[in-house]
């Protein structure tokens, strides 16, 4: 059975127990997804991003996060889901994708689970060609697609994003 640790209520002891085998569960519409917790820096309430001209299509803008400019990535666009505006109840998952910190727009987060390798299935065994998915795990509430942050942005998207950030005013 998976233990769920809610991010908002984690005690210092629980935080030290978190290892690379933990996953952050998040939602888009009624679907559940996960990211390796090792790549996640924080979860924050969504805010209106500032537009970033010449950014890749999946980037909806930038955010000033304590003096650091962070690109805001629309996960719906990446996954080919129907588009919608960012809502106040949405959340941003600030994470490391390749060599850049990004804020991923999600409907919400559920908490953290400890991944059980015995319950994890390679994505090729389910649907071939899922380049952003590193695996699928089973939980009591159903299947969860585990996304690979190192493959979330293509090299071309990362280069294009770096150029857009470098030419941004300010």
């Amino acid at each position: 059975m998976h233990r769920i640790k809610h991010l908002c209520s984690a005690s210092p002891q629980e935080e030290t127990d978190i290892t690379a085998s933990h996953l952050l569960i998040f939602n888009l519409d009624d679907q559940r997804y996960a990211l390796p917790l090792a790549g996640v820096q924080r979860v924050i309430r969504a805010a209106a991003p500032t537009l970033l001209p010449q950014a890749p299509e999946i980037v909806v803008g930038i955010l000033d996060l304590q003096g650091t400019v962070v690109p805001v990535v629309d996960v719906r666009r990446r996954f080919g889901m129907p588009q919608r505006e960012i809502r106040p109840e949405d959340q941003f998952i600030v994470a490391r994708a390749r060599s850049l910190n990004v804020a991923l727009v999600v409907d919400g987060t559920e908490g953290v689970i400890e991944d059980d390798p015995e319950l994890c299935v390679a994505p090729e065994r389910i649907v071939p060609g899922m380049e952003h998915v590193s695996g699928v795990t089973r939980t009591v509430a159903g299947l969860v697609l585990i996304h690979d942050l190192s493959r979330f942005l293509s090299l071309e998207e990362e280069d294009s994003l770096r150029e857009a950030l470098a030419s941004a005013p300010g």
Side-chain angles (χ1 to χ4, degrees), residues 4-169:
I4 294 183
K5 297 177 185 172
H6 294 280
L7 294 176
C8 299
S9 62
S11 71
Q13 177 58 40
E14 286 176 320
E15 290 178 35
T16 60
D17 293 339
I18 294 175
T19 66
S21 66
H22 288 78
L23 302 169
L24 172 65
I25 305 292
F26 67 91
N27 302 300
L28 289 172
D29 293 332
D30 293 327
Q31 300 292 322
R32 297 170 73 227
Y33 303 92
L35 293 172
L37 191 60
V40 174
Q41 295 174 357
R42 66 174 77 172
V43 177
I44 60 174
R45 175 174 284 151
T50 302
L51 292 178
L52 179 63
Q54 302 174 355
E57 184 178 303
I58 64 167
V59 176
V60 294
I62 53 177
L63 182 68
D64 182 343
L65 191 59
Q66 297 176 320
T68 303
V69 175
V70 178
V72 178
V73 176
D74 188 343
V75 180
R76 291 173 182 282
R77 287 183 188 171
R78 168 57 66 216
F79 297 169
M81 298 174 75
Q83 301 299 294
R84 70 165 176 74
E85 295 293 317
I86 297 173
R87 301 182 298 203
E89 63 269 18
D90 290 342
Q91 293 181 314
F92 291 156
I93 300 173
V94 181
R96 191 93 174 151
R98 289 196 179 271
S99 63
L100 291 173
N101 289 334
V102 295
L104 308 174
V105 183
V106 300
D107 295 353
T109 55
E110 286 183 24
V112 176
I113 63 169
E114 187 172 338
D115 189 27
D116 183 347
E118 291 180 18
L119 298 177
C120 198
V121 178
E124 311 78 61
R125 293 186 48 204
I126 297 173
V127 179
M130 296 175 65
E131 64 273 356
H132 305 292
V133 176
S134 63
V136 179
T137 192
R138 296 178 188 99
T139 68
V140 174
L143 295 177
V144 176
L145 296 176
I146 304 167
H147 287 273
D148 184 348
L149 284 167
S150 69
R151 294 186 283 181
F152 196 80
L153 294 175
S154 70
L155 290 173
E156 185 177 277
E157 287 170 330
E158 185 177 4
D159 289 344
S160 174
L161 183 52
R162 284 186 188 286
E163 288 176 20
L165 288 167
S167 65

